[in-house]
Amino acid sequence: MEERILIADTKTILDAFIENGLHHDYAIYCQFPHCDKTVIELRRHHPRSVEFNDGYQVTAGLATFPTSSK
């Protein structure tokens, strides 16, 4: 079975996904860059996986920023 990914094009939509509990069952891709306030909020909700368009990821309470490979 293929994993489904929810797309949040605004913070309001991301908030709706979290409010409805979808962050526990689905990976979420945000079409906007991360900000500290959003990441802090996400960590409290322990999402399955949230990735922002700048490569920043929050997964099961952990946050990672992509490193450039040379």
Side-chain angles (χ1 to χ4, degrees):
M1 184 190 314
E2 271 187 46
E3 179 181 15
R4 293 182 184 229
I5 298 174
L6 302 177
I7 306 294
D9 59 349
T10 65
K11 172 77 165 69
T12 303
I13 293 175
L14 175 61
D15 291 342
F17 289 161
I18 292 169
E19 193 173 300
N20 289 296
L22 298 173
H23 63 291
H24 292 297
D25 299 321
Y26 298 96
I28 300 172
Y29 180 79
C30 299
Q31 294 181 326
F32 52 91
H34 82 285
C35 72
D36 292 338
K37 181 180 177 187
T38 302
V39 171
I40 290 168
E41 291 173 10
L42 282 172
R43 287 182 182 159
R44 291 187 312 191
H45 296 285
H46 305 287
R48 179 176 176 182
S49 175
V50 177
E51 182 177 348
F52 294 87
N53 72 347
D54 61 1
Y56 196 90
Q57 294 180 319
V58 178
T59 305
L62 303 174
T64 60
F65 199 76
T67 57
S68 59
S69 57
K70 295 181 179 182

